[in-house]
PDB file of all heavy atoms in Angstrom:
ATOM      1  N   GLN A 104      44.322 -24.864 -70.095  1.00  0.00           N
ATOM      2  CA  GLN A 104      43.620 -23.886 -69.269  1.00  0.00           C
ATOM      3  C   GLN A 104      43.032 -22.778 -70.137  1.00  0.00           C
ATOM      4  O   GLN A 104      43.516 -22.496 -71.232  1.00  0.00           O
ATOM      5  CB  GLN A 104      44.572 -23.265 -68.240  1.00  0.00           C
ATOM      6  CG  GLN A 104      45.148 -24.278 -67.259  1.00  0.00           C
ATOM      7  CD  GLN A 104      46.192 -23.658 -66.344  1.00  0.00           C
ATOM      8  OE1 GLN A 104      46.901 -22.732 -66.728  1.00  0.00           O
ATOM      9  NE2 GLN A 104      46.268 -24.163 -65.117  1.00  0.00           N
ATOM     10  N   GLY A 105      41.964 -22.136 -69.636  1.00  0.00           N
ATOM     11  CA  GLY A 105      41.345 -21.022 -70.342  1.00  0.00           C
ATOM     12  C   GLY A 105      40.596 -20.141 -69.376  1.00  0.00           C
ATOM     13  O   GLY A 105      40.317 -20.537 -68.236  1.00  0.00           O
ATOM     14  N   VAL A 106      40.259 -18.958 -69.811  1.00  0.00           N
ATOM     15  CA  VAL A 106      39.473 -18.032 -69.002  1.00  0.00           C
ATOM     16  C   VAL A 106      37.997 -18.406 -69.127  1.00  0.00           C
ATOM     17  O   VAL A 106      37.485 -18.577 -70.237  1.00  0.00           O
ATOM     18  CB  VAL A 106      39.683 -16.579 -69.472  1.00  0.00           C
ATOM     19  CG1 VAL A 106      38.797 -15.618 -68.672  1.00  0.00           C
ATOM     20  CG2 VAL A 106      41.143 -16.184 -69.328  1.00  0.00           C
ATOM     21  N   ARG A 107      37.311 -18.543 -68.012  1.00  0.00           N
ATOM     22  CA  ARG A 107      35.910 -18.966 -68.022  1.00  0.00           C
ATOM     23  C   ARG A 107      34.970 -17.782 -68.232  1.00  0.00           C
ATOM     24  O   ARG A 107      35.164 -16.721 -67.670  1.00  0.00           O
ATOM     25  CB  ARG A 107      35.557 -19.658 -66.699  1.00  0.00           C
ATOM     26  CG  ARG A 107      34.158 -20.276 -66.695  1.00  0.00           C
ATOM     27  CD  ARG A 107      33.844 -20.877 -65.345  1.00  0.00           C
ATOM     28  NE  ARG A 107      33.614 -19.837 -64.346  1.00  0.00           N
ATOM     29  CZ  ARG A 107      33.414 -20.087 -63.039  1.00  0.00           C
ATOM     30  NH1 ARG A 107      33.482 -21.334 -62.601  1.00  0.00           N
ATOM     31  NH2 ARG A 107      33.198 -19.106 -62.204  1.00  0.00           N
ATOM     32  N   ASN A 108      33.960 -18.011 -69.050  1.00  0.00           N
ATOM     33  CA  ASN A 108      32.935 -16.997 -69.268  1.00  0.00           C
ATOM     34  C   ASN A 108      31.567 -17.628 -69.027  1.00  0.00           C
ATOM     35  O   ASN A 108      31.333 -18.769 -69.425  1.00  0.00           O
ATOM     36  CB  ASN A 108      33.012 -16.464 -70.702  1.00  0.00           C
ATOM     37  CG  ASN A 108      32.479 -15.050 -70.809  1.00  0.00           C
ATOM     38  OD1 ASN A 108      32.060 -14.454 -69.829  1.00  0.00           O
ATOM     39  ND2 ASN A 108      32.492 -14.511 -72.014  1.00  0.00           N
ATOM     40  N   SER A 109      30.661 -16.896 -68.375  1.00  0.00           N
ATOM     41  CA  SER A 109      29.304 -17.381 -68.126  1.00  0.00           C
ATOM     42  C   SER A 109      28.362 -16.754 -69.143  1.00  0.00           C
ATOM     43  O   SER A 109      28.272 -15.520 -69.231  1.00  0.00           O
ATOM     44  CB  SER A 109      28.852 -17.027 -66.705  1.00  0.00           C
ATOM     45  OG  SER A 109      29.605 -17.726 -65.748  1.00  0.00           O
ATOM     46  N   ILE A 110      27.670 -17.608 -69.904  1.00  0.00           N
ATOM     47  CA  ILE A 110      26.764 -17.144 -70.948  1.00  0.00           C
ATOM     48  C   ILE A 110      25.341 -17.565 -70.580  1.00  0.00           C
ATOM     49  O   ILE A 110      25.041 -18.749 -70.450  1.00  0.00           O
ATOM     50  CB  ILE A 110      27.145 -17.749 -72.317  1.00  0.00           C
ATOM     51  CG1 ILE A 110      28.598 -17.425 -72.657  1.00  0.00           C
ATOM     52  CG2 ILE A 110      26.196 -17.242 -73.392  1.00  0.00           C
ATOM     53  CD1 ILE A 110      28.890 -15.948 -72.780  1.00  0.00           C
ATOM     54  N   HIS A 111      24.470 -16.588 -70.433  1.00  0.00           N
ATOM     55  CA  HIS A 111      23.088 -16.851 -70.011  1.00  0.00           C
ATOM     56  C   HIS A 111      22.170 -17.028 -71.211  1.00  0.00           C
ATOM     57  O   HIS A 111      22.372 -16.413 -72.264  1.00  0.00           O
ATOM     58  CB  HIS A 111      22.582 -15.694 -69.150  1.00  0.00           C
ATOM     59  CG  HIS A 111      23.327 -15.524 -67.870  1.00  0.00           C
ATOM     60  ND1 HIS A 111      22.955 -16.152 -66.701  1.00  0.00           N
ATOM     61  CD2 HIS A 111      24.452 -14.815 -67.583  1.00  0.00           C
ATOM     62  CE1 HIS A 111      23.812 -15.831 -65.741  1.00  0.00           C
ATOM     63  NE2 HIS A 111      24.727 -15.029 -66.249  1.00  0.00           N
ATOM     64  N   PHE A 112      21.149 -17.854 -71.029  1.00  0.00           N
ATOM     65  CA  PHE A 112      20.149 -18.036 -72.082  1.00  0.00           C
ATOM     66  C   PHE A 112      18.788 -18.284 -71.449  1.00  0.00           C
ATOM     67  O   PHE A 112      18.679 -18.625 -70.255  1.00  0.00           O
ATOM     68  CB  PHE A 112      20.511 -19.203 -73.004  1.00  0.00           C
ATOM     69  CG  PHE A 112      20.486 -20.565 -72.349  1.00  0.00           C
ATOM     70  CD1 PHE A 112      19.316 -21.314 -72.296  1.00  0.00           C
ATOM     71  CD2 PHE A 112      21.644 -21.108 -71.810  1.00  0.00           C
ATOM     72  CE1 PHE A 112      19.293 -22.579 -71.707  1.00  0.00           C
ATOM     73  CE2 PHE A 112      21.635 -22.361 -71.216  1.00  0.00           C
ATOM     74  CZ  PHE A 112      20.453 -23.103 -71.167  1.00  0.00           C
ATOM     75  N   VAL A 113      17.753 -18.102 -72.243  1.00  0.00           N
ATOM     76  CA  VAL A 113      16.389 -18.400 -71.808  1.00  0.00           C
ATOM     77  C   VAL A 113      15.680 -19.140 -72.936  1.00  0.00           C
ATOM     78  O   VAL A 113      16.021 -18.986 -74.109  1.00  0.00           O
ATOM     79  CB  VAL A 113      15.591 -17.132 -71.434  1.00  0.00           C
ATOM     80  CG1 VAL A 113      16.157 -16.471 -70.189  1.00  0.00           C
ATOM     81  CG2 VAL A 113      15.551 -16.142 -72.587  1.00  0.00           C
TER      82      VAL A 113
END
Side-chain angles (χ1 to χ4, degrees):
Q104 298 174 329
V106 177
R107 187 183 72 185
N108 207 1
S109 293
I110 304 298
H111 296 270
F112 66 88
V113 293

